[in-house]
Amino acid sequence: MTTQTNTNDISLKEQVMTKIKLGQRWFGKKEAAEYYNIKPTTINKYISLYGHDSHIIWTKLHGKVLIDIFETDRKITNGN
C-alpha cells in the first residue's frame, strides 16, 4: 500500500508567504497569527490593550481587522 501526498494541500503559512512574495501586505487576523506563529486571540489582546500604539500595525475595514505584515515586521525588527 502506498501513500500519496496531495500537492494541492498547501498550509496557511505557505499561502501567506506566497501572497507576501506577490506584494500583498494586509492580512486578516487568522493569516497574520499563522505568519507570526501566535494565536489570533493574542492579536486581539494586543489590539485591545495597546490600540494603535502596539507593535502590530492594524486597521479596521468594513468591520474586519487587517494587519499590515510589512510594516509590522519593520517595526519589530527596528525595535521602535
Side-chain angles (χ1 to χ4, degrees):
M1 187 172 201
T2 62
T3 58
Q4 295 178 347
T5 58
N6 190 356
T7 56
N8 293 334
D9 293 336
I10 299 174
S11 72
L12 183 58
K13 186 161 186 164
E14 289 173 348
Q15 291 175 6
V16 170
M17 292 303 292
T18 303
K19 289 179 182 178
I20 288 173
K21 290 177 185 174
L22 295 174
Q24 186 174 351
R25 295 172 60 153
W26 295 93
F27 292 93
K29 287 186 283 187
K30 184 177 178 183
E31 294 89 3
E34 184 72 25
Y35 176 75
Y36 289 116
N37 200 21
I38 58 176
K39 294 180 182 179
T41 54
T42 305
I43 292 177
N44 288 340
K45 181 180 176 184
Y46 274 92
I47 289 172
S48 67
L49 285 176
Y50 302 111
H52 287 283
D53 294 331
S54 70
H55 288 292
I56 299 174
I57 307 300
W58 63 278
T59 190
K60 207 171 209 185
L61 182 65
H62 300 292
K64 184 176 180 180
V65 175
L66 299 174
I67 312 295
D68 186 352
I69 299 290
F70 179 75
E71 285 298 324
T72 300
D73 282 346
R74 278 186 52 202
K75 193 169 189 175
I76 290 171
T77 56
N78 290 341
N80 294 335

